[in-house]
Amino acid sequence: MHRTTLAGLGAVAATVVAVGIAAPAQAASKSVTLTNPSGGAHAVLHWDDTYDTLCLTLKSTAASAYADADMSLTDGTHFHHLRVTRSKTRDCTGNLSIPEDRAAQMSVNGGTNSFHRTSGWVGFFT
């Protein structure tokens, strides 16, 4: 019976240690850069996990430059669509109040009269 008691206490101690060192949250700020054909930054989409905001910034100096961005949770819930042009080079959401550690994805599309590119969907956690 003594061995059974010690084995039981060992299992309880292992459980307490495992619970005490649970994995940290996966959420973090995330950026996606859409590049132009020469490899330079055309537009940057940034998720700020501290404030739950999404910002799209146009980096291109081309006269016809534009970019669009979308974000959605992987359950299909769509949150925001952003658009920037040479006349409005930055577009941000307010606080989106998204629950922490939700799987999400974001995408940037953009270009000029001479090219069009997409980042494709990039996954991250809110």
Side-chain angles (χ1 to χ4, degrees), residues 7-30:
L9 289 174
V12 169
T15 301
V16 169
V17 169
V19 170
I21 54 173
Q26 298 179 42
S29 294
K30 175 82 173 173

Side-chain angles (χ1 to χ4, degrees), residues 7 9 11 13-14 20 26 33 37 46 51 54-55 58 60 64-65 71 80 90 93 96 104:
L9 289 174
Q26 298 179 42
T33 300
H46 179 75
Y51 300 102
L54 192 65
C55 284
L58 186 64
S60 177
S64 61
M71 178 183 142
H80 213 277
R90 186 166 169 89
T93 67
L96 295 177

Side-chain angles (χ1 to χ4, degrees), residues 35-116:
T35 58
N36 60 35
S38 64
H42 177 75
V44 177
L45 180 60
H46 179 75
W47 168 255
D48 185 322
D49 189 57
T50 302
Y51 300 102
D52 289 348
T53 57
L54 192 65
C55 284
L56 178 62
T57 305
L58 186 64
K59 300 289 188 177
S60 177
T61 57
S64 61
Y66 70 94
D68 298 306
D70 286 292
M71 178 183 142
S72 64
L73 295 183
T74 53
D75 69 3
T77 306
H78 182 78
F79 279 96
H80 213 277
H81 176 80
L82 301 171
R83 180 162 180 84
V84 290
T85 62
R86 291 299 302 140
S87 62
K88 180 183 179 185
T89 60
R90 186 166 169 89
D91 191 12
C92 297
T93 67
N95 182 304
L96 295 177
S97 299
I98 298 172
E100 291 300 313
D101 298 330
R102 293 290 172 94
Q105 54 188 359
M106 57 186 174
S107 174
V108 183
N109 301 293
T112 66
N113 286 341
S114 61
F115 78 92
H116 179 82

